[in-house]
Amino acid sequence: HLQNVRLGGGNYDLKLLANLQRNPLLSYLRLSGRKLEPAVFLQLQSLEQLVALNLMRTNTTAAAVDSLRRLPRLVSLNIMKTDVD
C-alpha cells in the first residue's frame, strides 16, 4: 500500500487522485504547483488517515483549509504560497 504520494509541477492529471482513499496507509500527500478543482478538496476530506498534507503553490482557500479540519490525524498542513491570507 502507498504511504507517501508526491505530485508536483503543473500538468499532472487530477484523475490520479480518484483512488487514494483505497490506500489505508497513506499518511503523507503532496499536491503542489497547480490549480486544484473543488472536487479535489472533497476527495481530500475522505483521507482520514492523512498525517501531513502539502498544498503549496495551489489555489487553496481559507474555506478549503477549514473543510480539512475534519481530518482527525492531520498534524501538518503546508499552505505556503496559496490563496490563504
Side-chain angles (χ1 to χ4, degrees), residues 7-71:
L7 298 172
N11 286 329
Y12 57 88
D13 190 350
L14 293 173
K15 292 177 186 173
L16 294 170
L17 306 176
N19 294 315
L20 286 180
Q21 66 270 18
R22 293 184 183 170
N23 294 287
L25 300 178
L26 181 65
S27 60
Y28 175 83
L29 178 61
R30 176 182 170 196
L31 305 175
S32 64
R34 71 163 296 161
K35 184 177 180 177
L36 301 176
E37 299 167 6
V40 170
F41 294 102
L42 292 175
Q43 289 174 321
L44 292 176
Q45 292 174 34
S46 70
L47 301 175
E48 295 184 356
Q49 72 280 14
L50 279 183
V51 174
L53 178 59
N54 183 333
L55 298 172
M56 185 171 54
R57 296 179 193 258
T58 64
N59 60 318
T60 301
T61 63
V65 169
D66 194 48
S67 74
L68 298 173
R69 292 177 193 259
R70 65 188 317 179
L71 296 173

